[in-house]
Amino acid sequence: MITLAALATLLTLAVGVSVFFVNRKRPSNQAFAIFSILLSTWTTSILLINIAALNILEHGMVTVKRWLVVNGFIASFGIWALWILQSSITKRGIGMLKTLSNSRLILVFSIFVSLIALTDSFAIVVDRFNIYRGFGYVFHNSLIGIAFLIFFITTLRNVSRHVGIERLELQYIALTCSFSLVLLAALNGLGNLTGLRTLNRASILVVVAGYLFMAWALAHHRIFNARQVLSSVAHRGL
């Protein structure tokens, strides 16, 4: 897991920088770079959680809890970064500074959610080898889940209002969010119910896979519409 988290951190940084330099003036590329920085800090916190777990005999669960809280704190800003990405696609002409200014309400929401991760009920050290995820943890993740669901719905609505590249990019974001939400909910739900933390840890694979898919959609010069491709194949077949 340590190797996976380390590779994920390096990969997100490398891909984020690469997408940014494909077209530095393009707002969606700039927004994706912001998302990449946030994601790399999230994967770094996972790396540090696992390193702390290796030293559990020396330090107990206190250090693990500290990085678990940091992980929750960082995750709170994921919806803000995605909103900036969506806005940079739907409102290309306003520039990144204006987009950031327009994101104030989402940022306030993210700050509020991040403060929940700092409460005592987020993660409770039960004994030297166990941490109990309390009400704060459940409330925190529930708010994030609801926010991502709303984001997914608004993205779908924006798809119908746009054409061309903007429409295609929004389709890919919606597709990525839908699959990621379902898989993350399933993995974390099963992990919490069964106590198999391996399922929870597999979340990083889902997040990174979705991230790479979005990176490809933004950077690829010939983004295609799957429906159009299937229609074309069917037409030629006839």
Side-chain angles (χ1 to χ4, degrees):
M1 190 62 191
I2 289 178
T3 302
L4 176 61
L7 288 174
T9 299
L10 294 174
L11 182 63
T12 51
L13 282 174
V15 171
V17 170
S18 299
V19 170
F20 175 71
F21 281 106
V22 165
N23 190 343
R24 288 178 291 178
K25 295 182 179 180
R26 191 183 184 198
S28 56
N29 290 47
Q30 296 170 359
F32 189 78
I34 293 173
F35 180 68
S36 300
I37 293 171
L38 182 69
L39 184 59
S40 65
T41 59
W42 181 77
T43 55
T44 299
S45 68
I46 293 178
L47 172 63
L48 294 171
I49 288 172
N50 285 275
I51 291 175
L54 288 180
N55 300 315
I56 193 173
L57 292 176
E58 182 179 352
H59 302 290
M61 297 298 290
V62 176
T63 306
V64 175
K65 174 187 174 179
R66 182 183 302 126
W67 290 117
L68 185 64
V69 168
V70 170
N71 178 266
F73 185 90
I74 296 170
S76 306
F77 293 89
I79 188 66
W80 172 70
L82 280 176
W83 188 91
I84 291 173
L85 180 59
Q86 182 198 81
S87 185
S88 69
I89 294 171
T90 58
K91 301 175 182 177
R92 290 186 186 275
I94 66 174
M96 183 50 62
L97 289 178
K98 184 64 175 178
T99 299
L100 290 172
S101 177
N102 291 342
S103 71
R104 292 191 300 271
L105 287 177
I106 307 297
L107 180 59
V108 169
F109 170 80
S110 293
I111 292 173
F112 169 74
V113 175
S114 70
L115 294 177
I116 298 174
L118 303 179
T119 61
D120 293 335
S121 64
F122 185 81
I124 305 166
V125 177
V126 178
D127 53 44
R128 189 172 178 81
F129 301 103
N130 293 286
I131 287 181
Y132 172 72
R133 291 161 173 80
F135 173 77
Y137 181 87
V138 175
F139 186 45
H140 174 272
N141 285 359
S142 297
L143 287 177
I144 290 179
I146 293 171
F148 272 96
L149 181 60
I150 294 173
F151 173 80
F152 171 66
I153 294 171
T154 57
T155 302
L156 284 181
R157 291 178 62 185
N158 279 320
V159 167
S160 63
R161 298 172 181 172
H162 292 80
V163 295
I165 293 298
E166 290 86 358
R167 181 185 179 93
L168 295 176
E169 289 178 339
L170 288 169
Q171 284 178 339
Y172 281 116
I173 290 177
L175 182 65
T176 302
C177 287
S178 61
F179 276 104
S180 297
L181 278 175
V182 171
L183 288 175
L184 287 173
L187 288 171
N188 284 289
L190 289 173
N192 292 332
L193 286 173
T194 62
L196 295 174
R197 291 303 167 190
T198 302
L199 294 175
N200 299 76
R201 297 186 187 107
S203 298
I204 190 174
L205 295 174
V206 176
V207 172
V208 172
Y211 167 82
L212 291 176
F213 187 73
M214 281 198 294
W216 174 84
L218 289 171
H220 202 275
H221 293 292
R222 294 184 178 181
I223 302 175
F224 57 89
N225 189 324
R227 184 180 299 175
Q228 291 178 349
V229 173
L230 290 175
S231 297
S232 177
V233 172
H235 179 73
R236 291 179 181 180
L238 294 174

